[in-house]
Structure formats: C-alpha cells, structure tokens
Amino acid sequence: MSQEKLGRRYAQALFELALEKDAVRRVGDDLAALAETWRAHADLRTALTHPIVDVEEQKRALKTLSEGMGLHALLHRCLELMVVKRRLFLLPEFAEAYEELWVERGDLVRVEVATATDLPESYFNELKKILESSTGKVVHLRHHVEAGLLAGVVTRFDDQVIDGSLNGQLESLEETFVHMP
C-alpha cells in the first residue's frame, strides 16, 4: 500500500474521532504545526522514526514533544499508535490527508501567498484574520518569497487569484495598451 493511502487511513480515523469530539479545528491546527516542525527538524524525524531507536524511547520523546507543543490528546494517541506500528514516517502524508478531509468537509480553505520580499509574520496573521472573516472558514495560510515578483503580493485560494503584485499591474497596463485603438 502506498504511503499516501496509509497516511489517508490514519487521517480518516483521526478526522472521524475529531468530528465526534468537536475538535476538528484544534486537532487540524495542532497537526499542521507539528508537520511544520517535522519538516524543519531532521533530528526530530530521525529520533522518532529510526528503527534502531527503541519504541519506548520514541514514545517518551513523543510525549515530551506533545506536551511541549500542547497537542490535543486525540492527536497524541494517534501519533503514539503510529510510533508503535513504526509508521510515524507517514506524518507528512497523514497531515496532508487530514487537511484534505477538512477542505472536503467545507470548513477549511488553503491559501498560498507569494511575496516579492520577506514580510513580517504580523502581516500574514492579519491577512489570515481578514480571509477567515470574509470566507467564514478556517484558513491555513502558507507563504513564500517568489523571486520573479518585482514587488507586491499574489494570494491564491479556491479558484481565486488576488494579484497585488507590480508584475500583475504591469501586465494589466500592457493589456490596456495592446487593446487601445
């Protein structure tokens, strides 16, 4: 079975439990934060997945991590099961599948933001609040610097693109001049 399918099975089980406990958002936010930490720290991935490390030691490390991050108990128990079954390496696929289930349910929107330069985290926090208010959904916002942008911001979500970049403005201006009589 592929890693994506295995990750989806764990995600489906956790999502259903989270629905029962009215904890979809909390579990989803915790899982997204954990996935980000997972991507950023190779030593963490090694400590929690390397076959030479004893399962009990991995469980203790997971408990410390869960308590430190304040992870929801449902998520911790699911992760602990994955440690015991030596499947925590599936965390990226698991997190992606959970988020996809959340999107399918209609309560979450994924937003990609490309900027010309690094912007302060406060900018993205404010943008997230504005988008949550206007969509009525939970927003998972990912941002990156895009080298090709001259200035400004391009925001993509659902089927919408909000192009506030200088590149977009120049293209619009060019289009106007091309169609002038």
Side-chain angles (χ1 to χ4, degrees):
M1 185 176 295
S2 74
Q3 289 185 359
E4 289 81 18
K5 285 184 180 178
L6 279 171
R8 180 130 178 129
R9 281 188 174 182
Y10 282 100
Q12 184 71 48
L14 180 61
F15 193 80
E16 288 173 12
L17 288 170
L19 274 172
E20 286 176 19
K21 301 289 184 187
D22 195 29
V24 171
R25 181 177 186 157
R26 169 73 195 285
V27 169
D29 287 346
D30 287 357
L31 184 54
L34 177 61
E36 188 64 34
T37 301
W38 186 264
R39 280 188 287 277
H41 298 284
D43 337 352
L44 175 65
R45 293 190 305 270
T46 301
L48 291 175
T49 61
H50 200 285
I52 201 162
V53 180
D54 179 63
V55 169
E56 290 305 315
E57 199 171 314
Q58 288 176 336
K59 284 170 59 177
R60 283 191 295 278
L62 177 64
K63 183 176 183 195
T64 301
L65 176 67
S66 291
E67 289 172 354
M69 291 185 73
L71 300 181
H72 194 281
L74 282 175
L75 177 57
H76 174 77
R77 285 195 300 274
C78 186
L79 295 169
E80 193 172 62
L81 175 65
M82 292 173 79
V83 164
V84 169
K85 293 194 172 276
R86 298 277 189 187
R87 290 195 171 151
L88 198 57
F89 68 91
L90 295 169
L91 184 66
E93 292 84 3
F94 170 52
E96 183 66 26
Y98 186 96
E99 192 171 279
E100 188 59 41
L101 290 166
W102 200 359
V103 169
E104 288 171 11
R105 186 164 187 265
D107 297 333
L108 175 75
V109 63
R110 292 177 177 154
V111 177
E112 285 288 327
V113 179
T115 60
T117 60
D118 274 330
L119 294 175
E121 201 59 37
S122 60
Y123 172 84
F124 299 106
N125 292 337
E126 187 61 29
L127 178 59
K128 181 178 175 178
K129 285 180 194 171
I130 291 168
L131 290 171
E132 284 182 340
S133 174
S134 67
T135 63
K137 297 179 181 182
V138 176
V139 169
H140 273 193
L141 191 141
R142 293 185 179 114
H143 57 87
H144 65 279
V145 173
E146 195 168 298
L149 288 179
L150 299 174
V153 176
V154 177
T155 305
R156 294 176 180 90
F157 64 97
D158 291 334
D159 293 332
Q160 297 181 22
V161 176
I162 302 169
D163 192 344
S165 70
L166 180 57
N167 301 53
Q169 292 174 13
L170 290 173
E171 287 173 14
S172 177
L173 191 57
E174 179 183 31
E175 188 68 28
T176 301
F177 285 137
V178 167
H179 289 85
M180 286 183 86

